[in-house]
Amino acid sequence: MISKLIRRARTSEIATVAKNVIYLFDNSNLKSDSFLSSTIEKIRNEHLLIVQSIRKDKPETLLEKKDIIRDGLVRKLNNLINGYVNHPNKSIQSSAGHVKSVFYKFGIGIVQESYDSETTFIDSLLDDLSDVDVKSELENLSGCPAIVESLSDANNDFHQTRLKYINQVGNNNNTAERATDIKYRIASLINDVIVVYLRAMVMVDKEKYTAFALKVGESINMVNTSVHSRSGSKANEISDY
């Protein structure tokens, strides 16, 4: 069964899936399917709009890049702490356990939060890690203090960029649609129309639709895998789709 596309995928990722679906259809034997053809035309139009919007909306693209940096640091800190929990040195193991209990008040799941919520959670995490007792334990874990410092810098950098972006959006007129708005329309067309239709048609005419359905599914799965890899989650969250 074809999976649905995770809506919280990055704008550029959803734009890529749209481009792939269009390409696959244009090179398929399904052009005589009027319903599929009309839906692809809608996706084609939305893809043109999102490409134009991304070009105009460079600050949002910059935000995504800066968010990737801080997400990576959160995951790196999580992995290092977990590694130290199993360290043969009892002192280091104890320090890791203490720091882990603080980190897991927030957990790796904060990278799945909205931009502003993630900023707040990271600030709170950093505040807890700066506590005198926790900080002394953290300093016993080689590499962790440097990651925490980098995370602080990355979060502040993201926040400042976010403020500039909000200010810019507020000063712009609203004639041009934001890329994220178009992104959700594309995701809906793919999930609620293309995927649902292909699931049904594969059962109706397996020979005709299977090859196209499998290729569309592969394109979707590549993006979903990237999303899950970044967040550490599994593909069972209905709210994702």
Side-chain angles (χ1 to χ4, degrees), residues 2 8 35 38 48 64 66-67 87 100 115 137 141 151 168 172 178 180 193 199 203 205 209-210 234 237 239-240:
I2 311 172
R8 60 187 169 87
F35 178 78
S38 64
L48 288 173
E64 286 192 358
K66 291 182 180 294
D67 187 46
H87 198 280
K100 181 176 180 177
Y115 282 163
E137 301 286 2
L141 307 177
L151 179 58
Q168 178 174 322
N172 288 340
R178 294 178 62 232
T180 48
V193 184
R199 285 175 178 174
M203 291 188 287
D205 192 338
Y209 288 90
T210 297
K234 294 182 179 179
E237 301 175 40
S239 60
D240 280 345

Side-chain angles (χ1 to χ4, degrees), residues 1 8 15 19 28 40 72 89 138 142 155 184 191 199 202:
M1 186 174 69
R8 60 187 169 87
K19 182 179 180 180
S28 73
I40 292 296
N89 184 294
L138 187 70
S142 179
N155 202 44
Y184 289 124
N191 289 344
R199 285 175 178 174
V202 163

Side-chain angles (χ1 to χ4, degrees), residues 54-65:
I54 288 173
R55 287 172 181 166
K56 294 176 181 178
D57 211 0
K58 290 182 180 179
E60 185 167 7
T61 302
L62 181 60
L63 273 176
E64 286 192 358
K65 291 180 179 178

Side-chain angles (χ1 to χ4, degrees), residues 219-238:
S219 181
I220 291 173
N221 287 337
M222 285 179 65
V223 169
N224 288 353
T225 298
S226 294
V227 174
H228 293 136
S229 177
R230 289 195 295 268
S231 65
S233 63
K234 294 182 179 179
N236 59 2
E237 301 175 40
I238 296 175

Side-chain angles (χ1 to χ4, degrees), residues 93-135:
Q93 191 178 113
S94 175
S95 293
H98 190 85
V99 173
K100 181 176 180 177
S101 67
V102 175
F103 181 86
Y104 271 79
K105 285 169 55 181
F106 305 91
I108 193 68
I110 61 177
V111 301
Q112 302 177 50
E113 298 291 339
S114 66
Y115 282 163
D116 294 334
S117 294
E118 183 176 349
T119 298
T120 300
F121 283 132
I122 290 176
D123 280 340
S124 296
L125 170 62
L126 292 171
D127 186 57
D128 285 0
L129 291 175
S130 68
D131 179 83
V132 176
D133 292 335
V134 180
K135 190 174 183 179

Side-chain angles (χ1 to χ4, degrees), residues 190-204:
I190 291 173
N191 289 344
D192 303 331
V193 184
I194 294 291
V195 171
V196 172
Y197 183 70
L198 289 177
R199 285 175 178 174
M201 295 311 294
V202 163
M203 291 188 287
V204 172

